[in-house]
Amino acid sequence: MKSVDIRNLSITLGHGAKAVKILPDVSFSVGEGECFGLVGESGSGKSTILRCMSLLLTQWDGKITIGGKDVRQMPLIERCRTLQMVFQDPYGSLHPRQSVRTVLHEPLRIHGMDNRQERMERAITEVGLPVDFLDRYPHQLSGGQRQRVAIARALILEPSVLLLDEPTSALDVSVQAEILNLLSDLRAKRGFTYIMVSHDLAVVDYMCDRFAVMQAGEIVEILDREALDGNKATKPYARQLIEASLEYDSAV
Amino acid sequence: MSDTILDVKKLCVSYRGEGGYNHAVRNVSFTLGREKLGIVGESGSGKSTVGRALLRLLPTAEITAEKLRFEELDVLALREKEMLKVRGRRMSMILQDPKFSLNPIRRVGEQVAEAYLTHFKCSKAEARAKAISMLEAVQIRDCERVYDLYPHEVSGGMGQRIMIAMMLLTDPDLVIADEPTSALDVTVRLQVLNILDKLVSERGIGLIMISHDLNLVRNFCDRVLIMYAGQVVESLKASELHLAQHPYTQGLLAAQPRIGGGRGRLSVLNRRPEWKEPIEVQA
């Protein structure tokens, strides 16, 4: 399992006088096997950080290392074996005309892995779906099942870092609970390093050990999970965000 | 209740499918006064369908009911032409996502003013003035400027406030809000809810809030209907939600992670076939 370190990550668009900095200067590090949360309002740059890490965005400056290696220096094959991403919307992130088998088979083929049938079966059972689901198409699956398939797709290459971009925000509470349980089981079993974007602080509290509060591309404050209960944040924006969530969550 | 706005008895919505009808909503009965009623349930439980059926926005569905009375009108007996005078004027709907429900190639202010122009005889200048004062009421700063913006130039929270302004401009008696805040962040969500709450209580509007978010409904509404598989399985006062009797409601409550709620396994709903058996709940 690998640790993640992000130093002075910034994105500037445009040139010269028109240049705009959309992500000023982000640094944080995540330990091995840790679950790190990124929270903040929409447009604060949470997902952008994940996209930079997975090199879905390439136009950034700074340094991102995973397990001591610079992601930019890693060959593509190695990078994909190291980190995988689960996207927000299970309705949009699976190809509608590819069966689950195709979805899971493709990465195995690209990476030239052996025992493909066995690996596919293991991945699909690991996310709690029956093996005959391999022959289903996305429209034959519910939202929660699709998200499980998306997680299985990420797991099949046995990465050590999982990037989760709001994995449950498109799902109902009851299904969300299933996915969160699954994610925490997987972490206990395989010791993944998670970096999780969410705007639901209750989910962050359930999953993460530490989390960063972001606003307008900057990390306002990095807090421990314990700081949520009773609002021990020191920066005004972080306090405000936690307060709003507590108020929202209060009528228990 | 003397000032009942809406009286629904045994509302059923069905779609014609292979070999007969699929029932999307079965025997839903409730009444609504000048209050805030929440409808919760998972996706596919028929909550949005109920909302749309009330406005007769389901052209392909068969809607039947023993009674569907909106003030003095029998909604199911109205002709489409008469329905046009009710829809948007006396009964309106706030949709989930402002990104998709605003016309992307028209200025937002015009779209708000259009709601007024359609239902009232007035000049364009009057409608503009009305729209601007309404935008002010939903706490949009610098309304004159916002009026001339296009939907892609406003943020999600502002878009949703514009939708609310549009729907409340005609001073309706009943507003159906279909997941009005689920596309928004927590901080903005509270602002939007507060605005909605204030306007609804000031004007004495009946509000039906459709949501899958139990916390929201619990904080915001007076009464809650819980739907499962097209039926209302339970009706409760929002403040007494924790006293829920039906196992589905209890399951939903337990599945919710909470801040400071510990790391134990979240309980997962164990769906039982008998929950789909017909039951009748009068609310």
Side-chain angles (χ1 to χ4, degrees), chain A residues 41-42 172-174 176-178 180-181 185 199 202 205-208 225 228 244-249 251-252, chain B residues 42-43 185-186 189-190 212-213 215-216 218-219 255-261 263-266 268-269 271:
Chain A
E41 57 195 9
S42 37
D172 288 317
V173 200
S174 48
Q176 169 175 291
E178 291 172 22
L180 292 181
N181 281 340
D185 287 353
H199 62 251
D205 181 47
Y206 182 73
M207 291 289 300
C208 302
R225 171 190 171 234
L228 271 176
S245 300
L246 283 173
E247 188 186 329
Y248 192 70
D249 208 46
V252 174
Chain B
E42 58 194 355
S43 41
D185 295 310
V186 188
R189 192 180 289 173
L190 282 173
H212 66 254
D213 188 339
N215 271 335
L216 184 158
R218 176 158 37 187
N219 286 333
Q256 183 106 30
R258 297 202 178 92
I259 294 176
R263 283 285 169 92
R265 281 186 73 78
L266 293 168
V268 172
L269 268 183
R271 287 160 221 275

Side-chain angles (χ1 to χ4, degrees), chain A residues 162-201:
Chain A
L162 265 191
L163 308 179
L164 306 164
D165 190 359
E166 309 227 19
T168 59
S169 67
L171 306 172
D172 288 317
V173 200
S174 48
V175 187
Q176 169 175 291
E178 291 172 22
I179 299 290
L180 292 181
N181 281 340
L182 169 70
L183 288 172
S184 50
D185 287 353
L186 285 172
R187 184 157 82 110
K189 206 158 54 175
R190 306 262 294 264
F192 289 118
T193 307
Y194 283 156
I195 297 184
M196 183 170 183
V197 164
S198 180
H199 62 251
D200 187 343
L201 285 176

Side-chain angles (χ1 to χ4, degrees), chain A residues 29-31 34-37 39 201 204-213 219-234 238 242, chain B residues 259-260 263:
Chain A
S29 54
V30 182
E34 194 184 357
C35 181
F36 189 81
V39 297
L201 285 176
V204 169
D205 181 47
Y206 182 73
M207 291 289 300
C208 302
D209 308 316
R210 289 186 307 144
F211 64 97
V213 180
I219 291 188
V220 178
E221 193 168 9
I222 295 180
L223 291 162
D224 279 334
R225 171 190 171 234
E226 285 75 37
L228 271 176
D229 198 13
N231 198 358
K232 299 185 189 79
T234 50
I242 296 173
Chain B
I259 294 176
R263 283 285 169 92

Side-chain angles (χ1 to χ4, degrees), chain B residues 40 42 46 48-49 65 105 109 111 114 128 133 146 196 202 216 238 244 269:
Chain B
V40 254
E42 58 194 355
S48 295
T49 313
I105 54 167
Q111 296 183 51
E114 186 189 13
R128 184 187 163 99
S133 68
V146 173
L196 195 58
E202 268 172 13
L216 184 158
L269 268 183

